[in-house]
Amino acid sequence: MAPSDTTTGHPPEPAPDRPGPAELSGGPAAAGPADPAELAGRLRAVIQHLLPVLRGHSTHRELTPSRTAALATLDAHGPLRVSELAARMNIALSTASRMVDLLDDRGWIARRTDPVDQRASLISLNDAGRALLRAVRRETTGLLAERIGRLHPDRQHLLHAALPALEELVDDAG
C-alpha cells in the first residue's frame, strides 16, 4: 500500500480491488464526526463483511457461528443453566436446549446437577471445548493480525484508537 498523501497527511484510500467503508455501507465516507446512525450502519456493514472472512478460513467446519457463540458464552459466564445460556445469547429456551444437546453430543461441554436446584443442570465447557475455543480464537486472531499488519501504519493507529469505543459498545450490551 502507498504511503500517506504528503499534502494532506491522510492515509491512502483502500486499494481499488477491496471495498472501503463507504462501499460497504453504501454511503460516502465522512471527513469528521459522523451521525451515530451513519456510524452504526458503517460498523454493521464492516462486521457483516469481516466475520465471514474470519469464519471462511477456519479449519473447524463443525463449529458454526452459533456453536462458537454458545461456547464463548459458557467460557465467559459458565457454568450456566440452559435458561441462563438462552438469555445471555438472546435465543429461545428450546433453541438453547437443542444447542446444549448438540454441544454435549460433540463432547465440548459438561453437565452437572445444580446444587441449588437438583432438578436443573449446570452447563460448562469441558477440556475439549476449552481447547477447541482456544484453537479457533488463535486461528481468527492470527488471520486478523495478518490483515491488520497489511494496513498502512496510520490505519493501524486509527484502529487502535477506536478499540476503547468498540469495547465500550460491548460493555454496554452485556
Side-chain angles (χ1 to χ4, degrees), residues 113-163:
T113 303
D114 185 343
V116 174
D117 180 353
Q118 300 293 313
R119 299 168 296 168
S121 293
L122 291 176
I123 312 304
S124 60
L125 287 183
N126 62 19
D127 291 341
R130 231 183 276 39
L132 176 63
L133 190 57
R134 273 194 310 270
V136 168
R137 286 174 171 168
R138 265 192 316 272
E139 271 182 10
T140 56
T141 299
L143 178 62
L144 200 49
E146 179 184 314
R147 287 178 166 249
I148 290 169
R150 293 193 311 242
L151 291 175
H152 186 277
D154 288 347
R155 295 277 195 208
Q156 291 180 28
H157 177 74
L158 290 171
L159 186 57
H160 183 264
L163 284 175

